[in-house]
Amino acid sequence: MADYSTYSIEELAADPYFCRWVLYPDAETKAFWEQRQNADLKEAEKIVQARQLVLAVQIKETEVPDEKVAQMWANLQMQIDEAEAGAAKIRTLSSKSWYIAIAASVILLVGLFFIILRPQSVTHIAAKGERQQFFLPDSSEVILNADSKLVYDVKKWEEDRVVELSGEGFFEVKKGSTFRVETAMGDVEVLGTSFNVLARKEQFKVECFTGKVAVTRKEVKVNESPTLLIPGEAVEQQEEGGLAKENFEVAVHEDWRVGIFHYEDEEVKYVFEEIARQFDRQLRLEVGLEGRDFSGKFTNKNLDSTLHQVCWPLSLEYKYEGNTIVVKSKK
Amino acid sequence: MILTLIMSDKQIWGKFKSGDREAFSQIFHEHIKVLYTYGNKFTRDTQLVEDSVQDLFFEIWQKRENLGETDSIRRYLLGSLRRKIIRQDQRAKKYISDQVEMDTYDFQVEFTFETLLIEKEISEENQQKISLALNKLSKRQKEAIYLKFYAEMDYQQIAKIMQLNYQSVRNLVHTSLKKLRQILAMVIILLLSILGF
């Protein structure tokens, strides 16, 4: 640590550790600087003046609006996409042979035709045992759970905020036009909010964290209106068909986003599938598990302890065969 | 397996250089606001600033494979944007010469205590006194203060951004803080007199 007793007022004001205390005080810096103030009157006077100075030289800055950021990001992406389409063209034409050149231009024309007509889709994939966090062109944020995929069309984004999801994703949507998540089981529409969507095989569940969310099932009767959710409400697809509403605790952020998995009366089959996804393993169930439920919590840190936690209360056993988790009944 | 929210600048720069679009997006979103506000200190032409910011990100994406290592992405971006804007702004103002004068630029900042003065309805005469005193701060001094206290850069980083040596930056910051302290003393006396002391 520097010898602060020799510092001038200006030197103090320019010192990062001093500024940290003035601007973002925490227990450590508070203890340190208050102790120095108490120890020596002359130094205390300097500290007071330096503190005033740091506060006074804070620069007045208007916050850059999120819409501005989103617009700049969209412009940049467009410029990059255009350049990358153009670069492909230049490379093809640099060939010396006429034949190849002509053939290339034909291919190029066909290619361009496709590039222009083809929707410009962007795909994000989180592999097994992995999670992905990224931004959409409007600065909305997405976290994808393991073994999940999200696709959207950059070209249409400005007029239509639509993403296709299979798997599980958490969305923090920037305010704006309607934002739609399409899944095989149903669609979720919002204006600007945060929510979680789970859409795997026959599973479909939507949880609303902030704002309002409208959920529409895919196989819907014409007159069925969308289900509206407010924060703390969730809907889940029932085996017998239809969506059932339930409540959950918004304040508890212990979920898959931080590597914690929490279940209440969940079908055991789904729990094991989630474990296999999180630890990047195959799964074989050598036992009928229909109608058996699991309630409890586990993390994605240690496979053995996780499997033990789930197997033990249900009198199940597990073993590994290479990359596969095999689950069977206890003898 | 664990959510990688905190990556060092070195790591994320490496990912970006290997063509990772998510790393690029993260870099953009993390620094865009500071870059944009810093850029707008040099000129009133916000379109020029926006274009320069877009150019900057476009260029680093195009030549990402040839970029060097960096331990401070923010420092790298601030320095590059600064050169770009000063050059562009001169072109716009028709200082057409082969040599770009890196010294003919402007830098305008407003300190928080200035708003305080307006709110407290200080007489025009006294306000002028203070802005006159503030104008005695050179653009370099203002910029160094801005980079230190707003962009939170250290002396070494400011030196690289402003293309000065370490000692000059130290001196810049200290002399400007000294001047600001005098102005501040003036302001405090004024405010007290208004309150009737």
Side-chain angles (χ1 to χ4, degrees), chain A residues 91-141:
Chain A
R91 238 174 271 135
T92 337
L93 282 177
S94 66
S95 161
K96 282 178 190 163
S97 154
W98 269 104
Y99 270 120
I100 294 173
I102 291 167
S105 9
V106 173
I107 293 166
L108 182 78
L109 276 175
V110 176
L112 273 178
F113 186 69
F114 274 103
I115 287 169
I116 292 162
L117 290 186
R118 185 198 62 177
Q120 207 143 21
S121 64
V122 174
T123 308
H124 290 274
I125 295 174
K128 279 188 160 193
E130 195 182 275
R131 236 166 299 157
Q132 290 271 350
Q133 183 170 27
F134 53 89
F135 292 95
L136 296 169
D138 63 346
S139 295
S140 290
E141 196 176 359

Side-chain angles (χ1 to χ4, degrees), chain B:
Chain B
M1 176 125 351
I2 297 156
L3 204 57
T4 46
L5 282 176
I6 302 159
M7 270 195 289
S8 76
D9 270 18
K10 244 193 180 131
Q11 279 173 303
I12 190 159
W13 191 249
K15 275 181 89 174
F16 153 70
K17 272 165 62 64
S18 65
D20 186 315
R21 281 169 186 263
E22 270 146 38
F24 183 56
S25 165
Q26 203 174 325
I27 291 172
F28 179 90
H29 285 92
E30 196 176 322
H31 302 290
I32 184 66
K33 289 189 177 179
V34 170
L35 281 169
Y36 186 69
T37 45
Y38 177 62
N40 278 305
K41 298 285 167 284
F42 290 97
T43 170
R44 289 202 184 140
D45 187 349
T46 53
Q47 193 55 50
L48 187 146
V49 175
E50 268 174 52
D51 291 347
S52 304
V53 170
Q54 187 176 334
D55 264 9
L56 168 62
F57 278 103
F58 179 68
E59 277 173 24
I60 64 165
W61 176 254
Q62 294 294 89
K63 54 177 197 191
R64 59 188 181 271
E65 284 158 11
N66 305 322
L67 294 176
E69 303 292 319
T70 185
D71 49 359
S72 169
I73 296 175
R74 175 165 293 184
R75 189 213 75 218
Y76 174 82
L77 294 174
L78 286 170
S80 311
L81 182 67
R82 183 182 194 273
R83 282 193 295 280
K84 230 176 222 321
I85 289 177
I86 294 176
R87 218 175 282 143
Q88 284 296 326
D89 197 42
Q90 284 179 26
R91 243 174 249 159
K93 285 181 184 154
K94 308 223 162 53
Y95 286 113
I96 302 169
S97 76
D98 293 338
Q99 268 183 329
V100 178
E101 293 286 328
M102 287 310 274
D103 214 36
T104 54
Y105 68 93
D106 201 9
F107 199 86
Q108 292 298 337
V109 292
E110 199 180 325
F111 295 100
T112 36
F113 70 84
E114 294 179 67
T115 7
L116 197 71
L117 293 177
I118 295 162
E119 279 164 14
K120 292 283 180 214
E121 291 169 8
I122 284 182
S123 73
E124 217 162 285
E125 190 199 332
N126 281 327
Q127 278 199 30
Q128 267 182 357
K129 242 192 228 166
I130 287 160
S131 39
L132 218 68
L134 277 171
N135 279 340
K136 280 194 187 143
L137 284 175
S138 72
K139 63 194 177 200
R140 276 180 189 284
Q141 288 173 329
K142 286 186 217 161
E143 190 182 1
I145 291 282
Y146 184 87
L147 288 170
K148 177 123 184 62
F149 289 92
Y150 184 76
E152 296 184 333
M153 298 276 98
D154 61 30
Y155 290 136
Q156 202 75 55
Q157 290 168 330
I158 298 173
K160 280 205 171 142
I161 294 168
M162 295 181 69
Q163 296 169 308
L164 297 170
N165 68 42
Y166 182 89
Q167 196 51 44
S168 336
V169 171
R170 258 187 82 101
N171 295 343
L172 263 184
V173 170
H174 281 207
T175 44
S176 6
L177 281 175
K178 219 171 218 158
K179 278 191 194 168
L180 279 164
R181 193 152 71 88
Q182 288 160 1
I183 298 169
L184 194 62
M186 223 164 93
V187 169
I188 288 170
I189 291 167
L190 268 176
L191 287 178
L192 289 177
S193 70
I194 284 174
L195 293 170
F197 283 93

